Amino acid sequence: MISILIPTYNYNTLPLVEELNRQAVSEGIEFEIIVTDDASPQNETTKINNRINQIPNCRFDRNEANLGRGQNRNSLIQKAKYDWVLLMDCDTFPKKDNFIRTYVESLQSQNGVAFFGGIIYYDNKPKDEEMLRWVFGKSREEIPLQKRLSNPYHYALISNILVKKEVILSHPFDSKIYNYGYEDIVFILGLKRERISIEHIENPAYHLNLENSAIFLEKFHHSLQNLKQVLDQGIINTEDTALTRVYSKLKRLHLVGTAALLFKIFKKITTKNLLSKNPSLFLFDLYRLGYFCLINS
């Protein structure tokens, strides 16, 4: 019935697998859980994740070579034996005990081919050095159901989504997207262009792993390099994201170079704010726009 697929990299995925397995067993459904580590270093985390193989209907694989984010997900899809696949990030965790039941009831009662349950964050503030990831997640990823319903493609993520296997086989993840960032948007936009609807339901999973703000900022450098790549290759259009729409306007006004220069001038003071205990998302948006102009100038 359902293949639960979890890409991972140097992350203890055992608690998530144990919870998903417990819920699926209690529902009496046919299922499998496959976790694939994308060639992270062999360490204590690897040993812990290997214990997944001792759980019925579960397996842990480790790639010998790093495939990258897009291709690792594609390889998981190829391994799946059931018609429905539930894509979970390794650092998520179901909010409720009826998480699996809710997805099963949705696919049985509705005619959709993709169901997004939502992502949430704990309300308690994290450590000061992890505030940027938390603030960004609470504002940009934890979206109430009614708001998600107003713009289903814009608010969908691939970190907690149930999809008909044949849909992903027909619209695989872009294998050229290697590092963090925009593989979800490219996939969702592919569904949008084919008019494949995404149903939004109330079935959230917590995002658990709050990276250090400096690491999170560096990951966005990689994500914007991915954005440049998919934009240059015509995989997405400038109208597909808010950032590229603004960039396109600056380009028409011949202001990309100016924006890049301003980014370099104010980078130090902006970074200081973003790494503080009170990061500004407005400054974060300006930072991302400035960096994108820099790598395009």
Side-chain angles (χ1 to χ4, degrees):
M1 188 180 198
I2 296 178
S3 295
I4 303 173
L5 308 178
I6 309 171
T8 189
Y9 184 88
N10 197 28
Y11 192 86
N12 179 6
T13 317
L14 181 61
L16 173 61
V17 173
E18 289 176 331
E19 175 62 18
L20 293 172
N21 179 77
R22 183 190 66 78
Q23 290 197 27
V25 169
S26 69
E27 294 305 314
I29 62 171
E30 291 185 336
F31 76 97
E32 64 179 350
I33 301 176
I34 307 175
V35 180
T36 300
D37 183 294
D38 200 17
S40 67
Q42 295 269 17
N43 53 27
E44 187 62 30
T45 300
T46 312
K47 293 179 183 179
I48 294 172
N49 283 335
N50 267 309
R51 289 160 53 188
I52 292 170
N53 291 313
Q54 301 171 14
I55 305 173
N57 303 319
C58 303
R59 66 190 256 205
F60 172 73
D61 299 331
R62 181 178 177 276
N63 298 333
E64 291 301 318
N66 189 277
L67 301 181
R69 294 172 68 88
Q71 191 55 35
N72 192 32
R73 283 190 168 88
N74 289 335
S75 71
L76 275 164
I77 303 298
Q78 294 294 334
K79 296 174 184 177
K81 66 180 181 181
Y82 293 115
D83 292 337
W84 287 89
V85 297
L86 174 57
L87 296 174
M88 298 285 294
D89 278 358
C90 61
D91 56 357
T92 57
F93 200 86
K95 178 183 179 181
K96 296 183 178 179
D97 288 339
N98 63 349
F99 179 79
I100 294 297
R101 182 189 310 161
T102 300
Y103 271 129
V104 171
E105 290 175 347
S106 294
L107 67 88
Q108 290 176 340
S109 63
Q110 302 183 43
N111 294 322
V113 295
F115 299 89
F116 175 58
I119 291 293
I120 58 175
Y121 288 73
Y122 286 109
D123 291 330
N124 295 335
K125 290 185 177 183
K127 302 173 185 176
D128 290 350
E129 60 269 23
E130 296 174 343
M131 283 297 295
L132 180 60
R133 182 68 183 94
W134 182 77
V135 169
F136 179 85
K138 291 288 284 184
S139 176
R140 304 291 170 81
E141 295 176 347
E142 184 180 305
I143 308 299
L145 177 60
Q146 289 303 314
K147 187 173 182 179
R148 288 193 276 125
L149 290 171
S150 69
N151 197 340
Y153 297 107
H154 180 71
Y155 292 120
L157 300 170
I158 59 172
S159 48
N160 174 24
I161 189 168
L162 180 69
V163 187
K164 194 84 169 176
K165 180 183 175 181
E166 63 186 27
V167 170
I168 305 185
L169 289 175
S170 300
H171 303 83
F173 292 97
D174 193 319
S175 61
K176 295 185 291 297
I177 297 180
Y178 191 82
N179 292 313
Y180 171 89
Y182 286 94
E183 72 273 16
D184 52 350
I185 291 178
V186 170
F187 175 73
I188 297 299
L189 285 173
L191 300 187
K192 181 179 181 180
R193 292 190 182 101
E194 295 294 324
R195 298 183 179 179
I196 298 172
S197 63
I198 300 175
E199 310 299 327
H200 284 251
I201 63 174
E202 186 64 29
N203 196 27
Y206 284 109
H207 182 279
L208 302 178
N209 186 29
L210 295 177
E211 302 106 330
N212 176 281
S213 296
I215 294 174
F216 184 59
L217 196 60
E218 181 60 30
K219 288 175 71 172
F220 257 99
H221 291 170
H222 293 302
S223 75
L224 293 172
Q225 290 161 13
N226 285 346
L227 179 60
K228 176 178 171 18
Q229 174 183 313
V230 296
L231 187 64
D232 289 346
Q233 295 176 353
I235 297 172
I236 71 169
N237 302 315
T238 54
E239 293 303 308
D240 286 332
T241 75
L243 189 151
T244 51
R245 285 195 294 271
V246 176
Y247 165 76
S248 179
K249 292 178 182 178
L250 292 176
K251 188 175 181 180
R252 289 197 299 271
L253 296 170
H254 305 286
L255 292 174
V256 171
T258 301
L261 178 60
L262 290 173
F263 169 78
K264 289 191 287 185
I265 292 172
F266 292 103
K267 180 182 179 182
K268 186 174 181 179
I269 191 171
T270 305
T271 301
K272 183 177 180 180
N273 170 268
L274 297 180
L275 301 186
S276 73
K277 63 180 181 180
N278 293 303
S280 164
L281 285 185
F282 174 72
L283 289 180
F284 188 43
D285 289 339
L286 288 179
Y287 182 100
R288 291 190 294 154
L289 176 62
Y291 181 81
F292 192 68
C293 287
L294 180 66
I295 62 177
N296 278 282
S297 62

